[in-house]
Amino acid sequence: MLVALDWGTSSLRAWLLDGDGDGAVRDEAAAPLGILKVPGGDFDAVFRQIAEKWISAGATAAIASGMIGSRQGWAEAPYANCPADAAALVAKLIEVPTSLGISLRIVPGVSRVDADGIPDVMRGEEVQILGDAPATGRRLYVLPGTHSKWALAEDGRIAWFATSMTGEAFAVLAEHSILGRLMDGRAYDQPAFRRGLAVGAAAGGGLLRRLFSARTLGLFGELEPKAAGSYLSGLLIGAEVADARSTVADAIGAAATGAAPDEVTIVGGAELSARYAEAIEAAGLRSRIAPADTTVKALWRLAKHAELV
C-alpha cells in the first residue's frame, strides 16, 4: 500500500492507496497543517500523526507533492525543466527519511523561462495537471487561486505554463488600497462581476489605469458598495483570461503547430471555478471542470513509475 500526500501552504490532504490495480483509495485524512502551520517546523511529527496507522496497517512507501518540497518545506526538491512528463518528475524525486522507518519521496516542481529570460515556477499544480492530461492531444488548463496557473499539456506532458498573481492582487487591493474603502463585504454580484469582466478583458496594457474604476464607479453612484468586490474580481479575472489567450497563442506558435484549444479545463475549488467558468465563457471559450481526484491519480502513477509500489 502507498501513502500519498498533497501538502500545501495552508493544508494537508492524505490518502492510503491500494498497492495493486489502479491504486484505489482505502482511507483518507486531512488537516489544517500546511507547511506554514507546522509547529516548530517539525514535519516528521505531522507525517507521523497522519501516516502512522497506515504504516502499521502495511503501507510500505510514501510520496508527497506540493509546497512540502519548497525551500520553506521539509526538504527542497529541485525543479524539473519544462516541458515535463511523469518520467521527468520521477527523475528528480528526492528522498527524506522519517521516524516511521520508511522514506518519503517528494515530487519536484516544474520551471520554465520566458523568451525574455524571466523564470516561472509551479509546485503542486504539475501533479494536478498530469493527473488529468490526456496521453495524446492537447489540453489547456487554468488552476485559479492566489497565484493562478495557466498550462498547456501536450501528449501527456506539461509543455508550457504561466503564472498570474490574480488572487493575491485582489486581496492586496481590497484590503490594503483605497479601492477597498468603498467595498462592503464580498458577496457575489453577477452583474457587477460581468461588468468587471468586460472592462478587464478590454484593458490590455491599461489595466493599472482601469483598476481605478473600482473607485470612481462607486463615487459616481454606478457601483454599489456591496457589488464593488465582485466588480474588482471580474476586472482582474477578465484581464487574466485575455492575457492568457494571447500568451497561449504565442506559446503554441513558438513551440508547436495547430490552433490553441477552445476549451479550458478548470482545476480548483467550486466557488472560484464557477467564476472562472463564467469568465472563460464570456471570452468566447468553452470550459470544463476537472475531476476532483486528479492529484491522487497522479501521485499513484508517479509512485508506480518510480517502482515504489
Side-chain angles (χ1 to χ4, degrees), residues 163-180:
T163 304
S164 294
M165 292 181 61
T166 307
E168 186 165 2
F170 175 84
V172 170
L173 290 169
E175 297 169 13
H176 302 290
S177 83
I178 198 169
L179 300 184

Side-chain angles (χ1 to χ4, degrees), residues 15-259:
W15 303 267
L16 176 64
L17 307 180
D18 269 334
D20 301 313
D22 59 357
V25 176
R26 297 187 58 173
D27 196 7
E28 58 186 292
L33 290 170
I35 66 163
L36 299 183
K37 298 182 179 180
V38 173
D42 192 348
F43 300 104
D44 183 75
V46 174
F47 178 74
R48 189 169 60 250
Q49 173 186 329
I50 292 291
E52 186 169 17
K53 64 178 180 180
W54 295 340
I55 303 298
S56 298
T60 57
I63 189 169
S65 64
M67 292 300 287
I68 191 62
S70 70
R71 194 164 297 175
Q72 294 75 37
W74 197 337
E76 186 173 10
Y79 293 105
N81 293 328
C82 186
D85 58 9
L89 297 185
V90 167
K92 290 207 169 186
L93 286 174
I94 64 169
E95 187 174 348
V96 178
T98 77
S99 60
L100 291 177
I102 66 170
S103 294
L104 173 66
R105 268 71 170 195
I106 299 180
V107 180
V110 176
S111 66
R112 62 174 293 273
V113 179
D114 279 331
D116 59 3
I118 302 297
D120 201 347
V121 297
M122 62 166 60
R123 195 180 287 280
E125 294 91 352
E126 73 286 343
V127 171
Q128 293 176 285
I129 294 165
L130 291 179
D132 181 73
T136 58
R138 179 182 290 161
R139 185 170 287 170
L140 179 61
Y141 292 88
V142 62
L143 297 88
T146 303
H147 300 156
S148 293
K149 306 289 184 181
W150 287 78
L152 192 67
E154 288 183 337
D155 301 332
R157 65 177 188 168
I158 299 169
W160 170 91
F161 70 91
T163 304
S164 294
M165 292 181 61
T166 307
E168 186 165 2
F170 175 84
V172 170
L173 290 169
E175 297 169 13
H176 302 290
S177 83
I178 198 169
L179 300 184
R181 300 290 179 86
L182 296 181
M183 291 183 186
D184 181 10
R186 301 285 177 86
Y188 176 61
D189 184 289
Q190 187 178 60
F193 180 73
R194 290 191 172 182
R195 185 175 186 180
L197 285 177
V199 173
L207 177 61
L208 290 175
R209 174 168 52 87
R210 281 299 178 219
L211 280 173
F212 198 54
S213 65
R215 176 169 175 79
T216 56
L217 289 172
L219 289 175
F220 285 86
E222 295 186 40
L223 187 65
E224 294 294 326
K226 290 185 177 180
S230 292
Y231 174 81
L232 178 61
S233 174
L235 195 156
L236 291 169
I237 294 173
E240 177 191 330
V241 172
D243 178 67
R245 292 189 71 180
S246 173
T247 53
V248 167
D250 289 345
I252 290 175
T257 59

